[in-house]
Amino acid sequence: MNRYLSNKKAIALFLLPALLIYSVVIIYPVLQTVYRSFFNWDGLSTATWNGISNYRDLLEDPLLITSLRNGLIFALVLAVFQIGLGTVLALACADPRIKGRKLLKTSYFIPVVLSVTVVCQLWIAMYDPANGLINRLFNLLHIPYQQNWLTSPTVSIIAIAFVNAWQFMGYQFSLLYAGVKSIPEQYMEAATIDGCSKWMAHRKVTIPLMKETYKFCLIVAITSGIGAFVQMLIMTSGGPGTSNYTLTYMIYRYAFMESNYGYACAVSVVLVALSLLATMIINKTFDRNEA
Amino acid sequence: MKRKYMKALSVLAALSLTISLTACGGNNSDNSASSGNSGAANDGTKKIQIKVYAQHFDEDTAKPFDYAVEELKKEMPNVEIVLDEAVQDGYQKLKTYAATGNMPDIYETDWITLQTFAKSKNVELLDSYPETADFKSKLNTGLESRLTAPDGHVYAFPYTGIEFQLIYYNKDIFQKAGIQTPIKTVDQLADAAKKLSAAGYTPMAIFAKEKWITTAFYAGLVTREDAKGFGDLEAGKPTALPTAFVTAAEQMKKLQEAGLFDANATNTNYDQASSQFYSGKAAMFINGQWEIYSSTEKLGDKVDWMYTPAKDEATYESSKGFINGAGSPGGFSVSPSSKNKETAVKVASFLAQKYSEYKYTVLGSPIVSVKVDKPMTGEVPPMMKRIADEVLPNVKSYATAVNNVQIKNAIDDNTQNILVSGFTVKKFTDNVNRILAKENK
């Protein structure tokens, strides 16, 4: 018993520095954000107690609806593109019949290590309505579709989400590829002996066994979508108007452009709450299916 | 064993504390050095160091500042200026200085930031300093709003006058497209846009990725209808847009529908828009009067500016003297935490005056805050001469600024939206009215 207690003390002592650092750099700022969300505060002057006014105002803020809608679209595009296409690519790269798999695997990951700024600038040029590659390609292929990709309030959010999905698909691909490779080959062999086609074997064996990987990938895609910001800032500055705003863009605007830090803190709390809620729903859904 | 282990942990904890405290101490010493105190000059005399946070990144900002500093050396040899170059970040760096109690002695900022600094006591009230009275006596006519804030206080010494937006146009392109000048009405401008599009030109290059420029264009149209400009949205406390503002929105929409702006306008930055104009692809360009120097350099006598058109010729003629620029306080402010506050106030006033002097004498700009008694030495571009001879002597009034950030942002967002197909004037008025009803209740 004594030995056990002394071990506990030693564990606590070893954990203490990390806990201290964690408390200072994570717990304290989070609690401060929640606390400040109940104040009217410009970041410099003395804060005045505001009760739940910031949250009440937020409910009536038209930017909230725009931001939530955009976050959802962003998350959907990421989920479909990164996980859907990522799965196809992961299965293809795991197939020994495909030649040049190593090169493919590397090429999918290259965009991940590129600078977001560079990628955004590249796509701004590609999306240019007059001289951009996309519209020119449509012309070349005689597809009668020309679009103002980044200046149309309806299309631009999808166009921007696609850039994010394209750039970080390699990250999701690497997770999915690891998931595919972790499935013992005997399972596939058994399925093949039982007369399954390749597609059916993947549908009935590979994909169900990768549930945990999918769960993680989906959480990453959804929370990235809700919190997306950099691409909007660089590619359209949130415009035209506020059509490309997300919750994080709202925080940026209220905190840094309007010096309304109390309100921005309230938006941050909503952002964190939504991310947690999405994570919980995904976890519950996957766990229920498992049961 | 246990004691040994505890001892090792204590030593480790003490070490990490020491390191962190040393780091903090290091920061403090750095801060005190950079906040500007006394220092010894090479000749042994004691110099007062004044840290100035100012724009210093191109010819327009660096040259006048350097000139002012050189002049200061003659006037106040005991003062040494330590420049902290301002970054174009919406004054975030400055706000961080304020939040961390590390303000420079003198800093350059705008009215929006000054309002926050006034509330948080990060700006020195200059009302009762003799330098302020002296500055007031030298102020150019009509520029009171640049020095004295709407709340009656003086927070900064300005160096420019009230700046305003102009529509620049390429005379050669206009001639080729068969467009008569001057354009006086919105209908004439819409016709010109159609003719220019048909001739293969972008009618007007606008860097509408920056929202302020669409607001500036809209302000020009509003000022033709209401001399006070945006000021009426705050002073009059309307809960819905007054007629003048709706009319201006309808005019802007009409111009958008006539093809005045490029389809990619809301995603075009300054470099792209200006290069369209300077390369002869765009016939018009909108920017402040400060663009005169660049446009003269790039296009020579091909370029001129025109007044913002009005609903009809009579309104155009009668409202030409209403200037769409709104005077708001800004310039060199002083930090109340400066250890050499009295000196800093003197230096701020001196820098602002000499900055003006450079702009007037060398650049030939009449849009400066104080009267300059020295002759112009530089070559004055003809477009600037037109402003000096034609506009400034005939100014009837300057527009007033809207100080409310939410109202200003609502106008910024929605004027940018007008440039997008499908965005209606009704949506514009509904969106702005929602904010007005909230802010002016």
Side-chain angles (χ1 to χ4, degrees):
Chain A
M1 185 65 184
N2 271 348
R3 195 173 162 191
Y4 172 71
L5 277 177
S6 77
N7 277 349
K8 265 181 90 176
K9 273 184 194 166
I11 290 166
L13 273 172
F14 273 115
L15 283 176
L16 198 63
L19 279 173
L20 273 174
I21 293 168
Y22 184 74
S23 304
V24 171
V25 300
I26 306 284
I27 303 289
Y28 178 73
V30 168
L31 292 178
Q32 268 290 323
T33 306
V34 177
Y35 176 67
R36 293 283 175 185
S37 71
F38 297 105
F39 284 85
N40 184 6
W41 184 46
D42 62 13
L44 295 172
S45 321
T46 314
T48 52
W49 177 255
N50 214 4
I52 56 160
S53 295
N54 287 334
Y55 291 95
R56 209 171 39 216
D57 290 348
L58 188 55
L59 284 177
E60 293 167 11
D61 192 335
L63 272 185
L64 182 70
I65 303 293
T66 312
S67 302
L68 288 175
R69 188 203 61 198
N70 286 343
L72 194 67
I73 294 173
F74 217 90
L76 276 174
V77 172
L78 295 196
V80 170
F81 191 81
Q82 292 183 334
I83 301 174
L85 194 59
T87 302
V88 175
L89 295 173
L91 291 174
C93 284
D95 192 330
R97 292 172 301 174
I98 306 244
K99 283 181 185 166
R101 286 177 297 142
K102 275 188 184 169
L103 186 71
L104 278 177
K105 278 186 279 180
T106 313
S107 66
Y108 297 142
F109 203 76
I110 287 173
V112 180
V113 294
L114 290 176
S115 147
V116 178
T117 317
V118 171
V119 167
C120 288
Q121 286 301 333
L122 179 90
W123 279 91
I124 287 173
M126 283 169 58
Y127 278 142
D128 188 275
N131 306 306
L133 181 71
I134 311 285
N135 276 358
R136 281 189 173 197
L137 203 65
F138 284 155
N139 262 336
L140 203 71
L141 300 170
H142 302 291
I143 299 170
Y145 183 77
Q146 295 289 293
Q147 185 57 255
N148 297 325
W149 296 101
L150 295 175
T151 55
S152 155
T154 45
V155 174
S156 53
I157 186 69
I158 301 168
I160 297 169
F162 178 80
V163 175
N164 186 304
W166 173 84
Q167 184 174 13
F168 295 104
M169 199 193 68
Y171 174 70
Q172 297 272 38
F173 162 78
S174 59
L175 294 172
L176 292 162
Y177 180 72
V180 172
K181 292 298 279 182
S182 69
I183 297 167
E185 279 183 22
Q186 300 93 296
Y187 289 14
M188 291 299 283
E189 280 169 16
T192 313
I193 292 165
D194 288 346
C196 279
S197 65
K198 199 82 179 169
W199 160 239
M200 191 175 272
H202 282 318
R203 203 161 61 88
K204 297 283 184 191
V205 179
T206 318
I207 294 172
L209 285 175
M210 282 171 59
K211 207 152 127 188
E212 284 303 311
T213 313
Y214 278 121
K215 189 165 83 175
F216 181 72
C217 287
L218 199 59
I219 288 170
V220 169
I222 302 288
T223 50
S224 308
I226 295 171
F229 170 64
V230 187
Q231 287 83 4
M232 281 80 168
L233 181 74
I234 298 172
M235 296 183 80
T236 63
S237 301
T242 53
S243 61
N244 280 320
Y245 268 52
T246 53
L247 284 172
T248 318
Y249 212 111
M250 272 179 86
I251 296 166
Y252 169 73
R253 175 181 177 141
Y254 288 123
F256 299 115
M257 289 162 75
E258 297 189 6
S259 290
N260 193 352
Y261 285 87
Y263 193 68
C265 286
V267 184
S268 305
V269 172
V270 170
L271 173 67
V272 173
L274 278 175
S275 298
L276 283 175
L277 186 72
T279 309
M280 275 167 59
I281 291 171
I282 294 167
N283 271 327
K284 284 260 179 207
T285 311
F286 273 77
D287 293 347
R288 196 181 299 138
N289 288 344
E290 203 167 11
Chain B
M1 180 67 190
K2 199 175 166 190
R3 275 184 68 187
K4 237 182 182 179
Y5 168 70
M6 285 302 289
K7 212 173 173 181
L9 257 181
S10 310
V11 171
L12 200 69
L15 254 176
S16 53
L17 262 175
T18 315
I19 289 166
S20 58
L21 286 175
T22 314
C24 292
N27 274 345
N28 284 341
S29 65
D30 279 356
N31 290 345
S32 60
S34 64
S35 68
N37 291 313
S38 307
N42 289 341
D43 59 2
T45 55
K46 263 199 160 184
K47 282 202 167 194
I48 300 169
Q49 283 188 338
I50 299 287
K51 188 172 176 180
V52 184
Y53 181 81
Q55 292 186 36
H56 194 272
F57 57 89
D58 61 5
E59 287 206 348
D60 288 348
T61 53
K63 283 193 174 172
F65 184 84
D66 293 342
Y67 170 79
V69 171
E70 284 306 312
E71 290 296 306
L72 184 78
K73 281 179 190 165
K74 296 177 203 162
E75 183 76 14
M76 300 169 77
N78 62 325
V79 172
E80 185 189 347
I81 298 293
V82 179
L83 173 67
D84 182 359
E85 285 188 28
V87 283
Q88 290 186 294
D89 62 348
Y91 301 106
Q92 290 311 318
K93 186 175 170 184
L94 200 56
K95 284 179 194 168
T96 310
Y97 281 157
T100 54
N102 192 28
M103 287 293 267
D105 300 279
I106 296 171
Y107 57 84
E108 204 184 332
T109 189
D110 64 352
W111 176 223
I112 299 275
T113 313
L114 276 176
Q115 288 177 74
T116 314
F117 283 1
K119 262 194 266 172
S120 57
K121 311 244 181 301
N122 277 297
V123 59
E124 177 71 3
L125 279 187
L126 302 168
D127 304 357
S128 51
Y129 282 94
E131 285 76 16
T132 307
D134 177 56
F135 205 94
K136 263 183 194 166
S137 69
K138 292 174 182 167
L139 203 66
N140 274 322
T141 317
L143 300 187
E144 291 72 21
S145 59
R146 289 286 286 137
L147 183 67
T148 308
D151 62 7
H153 293 300
V154 175
Y155 295 106
F157 294 114
Y159 51 81
T160 67
I162 296 176
E163 300 186 294
F164 48 92
Q165 285 71 46
L166 297 169
I167 297 174
Y168 297 87
Y169 70 100
N170 186 319
K171 290 189 273 186
D172 281 6
I173 297 178
F174 266 50
Q175 206 174 9
K176 276 181 203 163
I179 298 163
Q180 295 289 316
T181 52
I183 287 175
K184 293 183 176 180
T185 68
V186 172
D187 287 339
Q188 288 168 3
L189 186 58
D191 285 343
K194 286 174 191 163
K195 282 183 185 168
L196 289 163
S197 293
Y201 296 102
T202 299
M204 179 183 279
I206 182 168
F207 45 102
K209 194 167 183 180
E210 294 180 32
K211 290 175 182 173
W212 74 265
I213 194 68
T214 53
T215 300
F217 186 81
Y218 178 67
L221 297 168
V222 168
T223 314
R224 290 278 161 268
E225 296 289 316
D226 176 354
K228 285 182 193 159
F230 292 157
D232 265 358
L233 291 181
E234 197 173 26
K237 295 270 172 197
T239 50
L241 276 173
T243 317
F245 291 79
V246 180
T247 306
E250 285 165 353
Q251 290 171 343
M252 199 163 164
K253 192 71 209 166
K254 184 177 193 172
L255 292 169
Q256 184 269 324
E257 285 168 349
L260 183 69
F261 312 105
D262 186 59
N264 203 36
T266 61
N267 219 35
T268 302
N269 61 29
Y270 172 80
D271 292 335
Q272 292 163 330
S274 59
S275 79
Q276 275 184 314
F277 184 57
Y278 294 140
S279 64
K281 285 177 187 158
M284 286 176 269
F285 182 56
I286 180 160
N287 202 0
Q289 94 289 324
W290 54 86
E291 189 70 31
I292 283 177
Y293 303 103
S294 297
S295 55
T296 306
E297 189 190 323
K298 305 273 174 28
L299 292 173
D301 57 2
K302 282 183 192 170
V303 63
D304 203 352
W305 59 261
M306 63 169 96
Y307 292 93
T308 306
K311 65 182 169 213
D312 52 45
E313 290 199 21
T315 311
Y316 172 83
E317 294 298 344
S318 63
S319 64
K320 263 165 86 174
F322 302 151
I323 305 300
N324 61 12
S328 55
F332 291 113
S333 297
V334 173
S335 165
S337 60
S338 168
K339 287 176 183 161
N340 300 292
K341 202 159 64 184
E342 305 288 323
T343 310
V345 173
K346 282 183 188 140
V347 171
S349 166
F350 186 87
L351 287 179
Q353 290 181 47
K354 289 295 165 185
Y355 211 107
S356 290
E357 189 175 289
Y358 183 90
K359 283 176 91 73
Y360 180 84
T361 56
V362 182
L363 302 176
S365 171
I367 303 169
V368 289
S369 60
V370 291
K371 294 179 187 90
V372 179
D373 54 8
K374 289 183 179 173
M376 286 184 185
T377 54
E379 198 181 324
V380 184
M383 286 193 288
M384 191 56 91
K385 203 164 177 335
R386 255 188 84 196
I387 288 178
D389 298 342
E390 193 182 312
V391 180
L392 296 182
N394 298 309
V395 170
K396 286 185 196 162
S397 70
Y398 288 97
T400 47
V402 62
N403 301 303
N404 183 302
V405 182
Q406 278 74 30
I407 298 176
K408 190 189 157 299
N409 283 344
I411 296 172
D412 281 353
D413 291 336
N414 288 288
T415 50
Q416 192 192 38
N417 268 329
I418 288 188
L419 266 53
V420 175
S421 300
F423 188 84
T424 60
V425 174
K426 188 179 180 312
K427 275 187 195 166
F428 177 91
T429 49
D430 285 351
N431 290 353
V432 181
N433 285 351
R434 194 185 304 117
I435 301 296
L436 288 176
K438 189 178 162 213
E439 297 299 315
N440 287 340
K441 68 184 172 192

